[in-house]
Amino acid sequence: MNFITNLIGGLSLGGIYAMIALGYTMVYGIAKMLNFAHGDIIMVGGYTILVFTAQSVHPLIAIALAIVFCVGLGVVVERVAYKPLRGASPLAVLITAIGVSYLLQSLAQMFFGSGTKMVTGLDLGSFNIGSLKISVSTIVTLLSCIAVMVALNLFVKYTKTGRAMIAVSEDKGAAQLMGINVNLIIMITFAIGSALAALAGTFYLMRSPSIYSTFGSLPGIKAFSAAVIGGIGSIPGAMLGGILLGVVEVFANSVSAIAPYTDAIEFAILIIILLVKPTGFLGKKRREKV
Amino acid sequence: MALLEVKNLEVYYGVIQAIKGISFEVNKGEIVTLIGANGAGKTTTMQSIMGLIHARSGEVIYNGQQINNLPAHKIVHLGMTQVPEGRRVFSELTVYENLMMGAYTKKDKEQIKASLDEIYEIFPRLLERKNQVAGTLSGGEQQMLAMGRAMMSNPDLLMLDEPSMGLSPLLVDQVFEIIKHFHEKGTTILLVEQNANKSLAISDRAYVLENGRIVLTGTGEELLASPEIKKAYLGG
């Protein structure tokens, strides 16, 4: 019985990691950069929900506003911080991303202080099936993640914009020759990634409703690991990696002897997979084009 | 009237000057070829016309409009496109999806369908393999796909960068036949080639590029007969 509870919990946490990992992997695939500020978008989403629920705005509206705000923020960050560096060395872009990450965390501290704040109104209670106690938020998270991933896959595979994203990730120059506005596609990618981050932040708050300025760091870094495990740049890879880490985390946490080492186990998986298969599960060897 | 006019184009890679002030034009309905050895600046010229590389100075005028400050994707909307060197098909997309990417700028569904049917008629091989991922095609098929993809945008001016590179003699003949076919359908062609023999034979006019400069120009026939060209490009 415990096994089933853990499995559902693990899949649901994995879904959250997968959603965040999708942001990393899509941005990497299309803009060829590691957006280390991605985790902090989750934090901004969390604080947005805090602000609005504190004004007794309906939680669903607060979540929608958080998504809108994060999409705006993601697009602005891309335009202001990353776009001017198109063509610059990857190191410069990486350092800029880390700078943006600290900037967002510091802004959060300026506005909300460094203490932990509680978000109310996201607790959906729980229900019992036989002796099984399952929280509603776990199920909502799981179903939403599945819906989002199916929708994203359909979007990428069957829409003109989605296919343009594949084209840009494969060959920016050839994509331009098709008449694709590469900058616009990169912007759309950031917008989608940020929307997913805001959603992931919401589900993370449903699990534990406390928010602080480094709220996004740990899920961010775990989701990044998930993206690398799955093969960075690969959308199904990000989903697979995220689910794997989520399930491992919940099962490890359920065994009291190894629970304190859960994070270490997750990162050990990353290291082992990188040693055995450096491209991740579904990553492709990229031929560097001259 | 010149459809495409290039005036005093200069392109640098860092401090290295790759194109040292070239001028040429392509008139509506012509096939014009730029020939030259490796490193002469042919691809650089093509890429700077398309806006993929920024020229330091000079002008590119297409249909009376100055385009040298436009990004590539806007230039495609004006009715010119390029089959890039090395084909560069989208290997993860299917043949059909690649062709549809070529029609990215087009909105009219019926027109897209008509273009698609026409491409499948010219390249029956692409129809056979339409649901196959482009990465699994042979080099020749990829070249056909790259040409078909470019034609999906119904360009007035089609530029081809070394379309015969790396193909067997039989396929090379086929590629030139298809270029002629596109031309007969009313497309103006700017061709870049190392295969001087074949390309001069189908060209109205040609320019010879050496070290970033145009050193010789004339009709295709004149250049084919020119002793200098024979010596340098046609193997005696």
Side-chain angles (χ1 to χ4, degrees):
Chain A
M1 277 306 140
N2 233 343
F3 177 81
I4 294 173
T5 323
N6 282 341
L7 187 65
I8 293 173
L11 289 173
S12 146
L13 179 63
I16 297 177
Y17 287 157
M19 269 190 179
I20 309 169
L22 284 168
Y24 280 107
T25 221
M26 287 170 73
V27 164
Y28 179 82
I30 283 158
K32 300 287 174 281
M33 66 163 289
L34 295 173
N35 178 18
F36 272 117
H38 188 59
D40 300 293
I41 302 284
I42 306 169
M43 173 270 294
V44 172
Y47 272 115
T48 314
I49 292 173
L50 173 77
V51 167
F52 285 109
T53 48
Q55 304 293 319
S56 25
V57 171
H58 189 277
L60 279 179
I61 296 171
I63 293 167
L65 288 169
I67 292 173
V68 171
F69 188 68
C70 285
V71 166
L73 180 68
V75 169
V76 167
V77 163
E78 194 277 320
R79 276 285 129 117
V80 174
Y82 304 148
K83 191 180 169 219
L85 293 174
R86 213 87 89 218
S89 88
L91 202 57
V93 185
L94 186 69
I95 290 167
T96 306
I98 293 170
V100 171
S101 165
Y102 281 120
L103 176 71
L104 293 178
Q105 289 180 15
S106 304
L107 284 175
Q109 285 190 12
M110 277 172 60
F111 285 113
F112 301 100
S114 54
T116 299
K117 294 207 154 44
M118 300 304 274
V119 178
T120 50
L122 292 179
D123 190 5
L124 302 175
S126 59
F127 62 94
N128 292 302
I129 302 174
S131 62
L132 222 61
K133 187 180 176 222
I134 296 170
S135 75
V136 176
S137 63
T138 308
I139 301 298
V140 169
T141 303
L142 187 55
L143 295 179
S144 311
C145 290
I146 293 170
V148 162
M149 284 176 215
V150 170
L152 190 69
N153 269 321
L154 293 176
F155 172 76
V156 170
K157 187 81 186 126
Y158 294 109
T159 67
K160 203 168 162 179
T161 308
R163 281 187 197 151
M165 290 169 90
I166 300 179
V168 171
S169 78
E170 233 191 278
D171 188 335
K172 267 195 197 115
Q176 282 173 281
L177 290 178
M178 304 298 112
I180 297 170
N181 182 345
V182 170
N183 282 329
L184 183 67
I185 296 294
I186 292 178
M187 199 177 91
I188 293 171
T189 308
F190 270 84
I192 294 174
S194 303
L196 294 179
L199 261 183
T202 307
F203 295 135
Y204 216 71
L205 281 176
M206 285 180 173
R207 298 174 63 88
S208 70
S210 46
I211 174 112
Y212 40 92
S213 64
T214 55
F215 173 74
S217 300
L218 193 60
I221 204 77
K222 281 187 185 166
F224 173 63
S225 308
V228 174
I229 287 171
I232 190 121
S234 157
I235 289 177
M239 296 176 185
L240 189 69
I243 304 262
L244 175 77
L245 280 195
V247 171
V248 167
E249 179 167 332
V250 169
F251 275 96
N253 267 333
S254 71
V255 182
S256 55
I258 56 170
Y261 308 110
T262 302
D263 290 349
I265 292 169
E266 285 173 68
F267 293 122
I269 291 175
L270 171 70
I271 292 170
I272 291 165
I273 284 171
L274 281 182
L275 285 174
V276 179
K277 199 166 184 309
T279 51
F281 283 130
L282 303 176
K284 285 173 293 275
K285 269 197 202 117
R286 279 207 175 263
R287 281 169 289 127
E288 287 298 323
K289 288 189 184 88
V290 189
Chain B
M1 193 195 101
L3 184 60
L4 178 76
E5 209 176 336
V6 174
K7 288 185 189 165
N8 298 317
L9 191 73
E10 294 191 37
V11 183
Y12 285 77
Y13 290 114
V15 294
I16 312 286
Q17 187 171 13
I19 302 296
K20 298 164 182 164
I22 62 171
S23 302
F24 65 93
E25 79 261 341
V26 181
N27 296 313
K28 210 166 173 21
E30 277 187 317
I31 299 185
V32 173
T33 301
L34 300 179
I35 58 171
N38 269 334
K42 304 184 302 288
T43 297
T44 305
T45 304
M46 293 289 249
Q47 292 193 332
S48 57
I49 292 172
M50 265 327 283
L52 291 170
I53 300 178
H54 279 281
R56 182 166 303 179
S57 65
E59 276 182 287
V60 181
I61 296 159
Y62 176 74
N63 234 343
Q65 184 187 352
Q66 192 174 335
I67 59 166
N68 40 310
N69 289 317
L70 288 181
H73 68 91
K74 287 205 176 139
I75 292 177
V76 175
H77 280 267
L78 298 177
M80 62 195 270
T81 193
Q82 192 182 105
V83 179
E85 184 182 8
R87 348 219 195 278
R88 289 166 74 173
V89 296
F90 300 114
S91 59
E92 288 167 45
L93 297 179
T94 64
V95 167
Y96 168 77
E97 287 166 345
N98 265 279
L99 291 173
M100 291 310 281
M101 288 311 313
Y104 189 80
T105 55
K106 299 291 169 197
K107 299 244 149 44
D108 183 347
K109 289 221 166 94
E110 272 171 38
Q111 195 204 332
I112 293 174
K113 177 79 176 61
S115 309
L116 190 65
D117 289 342
E118 197 185 327
I119 297 300
Y120 282 148
E121 200 179 308
I122 302 169
F123 305 106
R125 206 52 184 276
L126 296 182
L127 179 62
E128 279 169 39
R129 317 223 143 166
K130 66 176 181 175
N131 294 321
Q132 197 171 321
V133 174
T136 60
L137 298 179
S138 72
E141 288 163 348
Q142 287 190 7
Q143 184 61 50
M144 303 299 162
L145 179 56
M147 290 167 76
R149 185 181 64 175
M151 284 308 282
M152 283 296 289
S153 69
N154 281 323
D156 296 318
L157 174 63
L158 177 67
M159 306 200 281
L160 300 107
D161 194 347
E162 305 226 13
S164 74
M165 192 172 64
L167 299 182
S168 70
L170 203 66
L171 281 169
V172 170
D173 287 346
Q174 220 180 327
V175 163
F176 280 99
E177 279 307 311
I178 287 157
I179 294 172
K180 273 202 286 193
H181 177 81
F182 288 159
H183 178 241
E184 278 156 19
K185 292 231 153 191
T187 313
T188 305
I189 309 272
L190 174 60
L191 182 63
V192 152
E193 260 298 338
Q194 284 197 50
N195 189 334
N197 224 339
K198 287 244 160 27
S199 50
L200 289 177
I202 65 163
S203 297
D204 294 304
R205 293 185 303 110
Y207 297 85
V208 180
L209 210 54
E210 246 171 51
N211 294 321
R213 285 199 177 84
I214 288 174
V215 293
L216 206 60
T217 174
T219 65
E221 278 169 34
E222 281 167 7
L223 290 182
L224 266 178
S226 142
E228 292 158 63
I229 294 293
K230 273 193 180 152
K231 196 161 164 243
Y233 300 101
L234 302 177

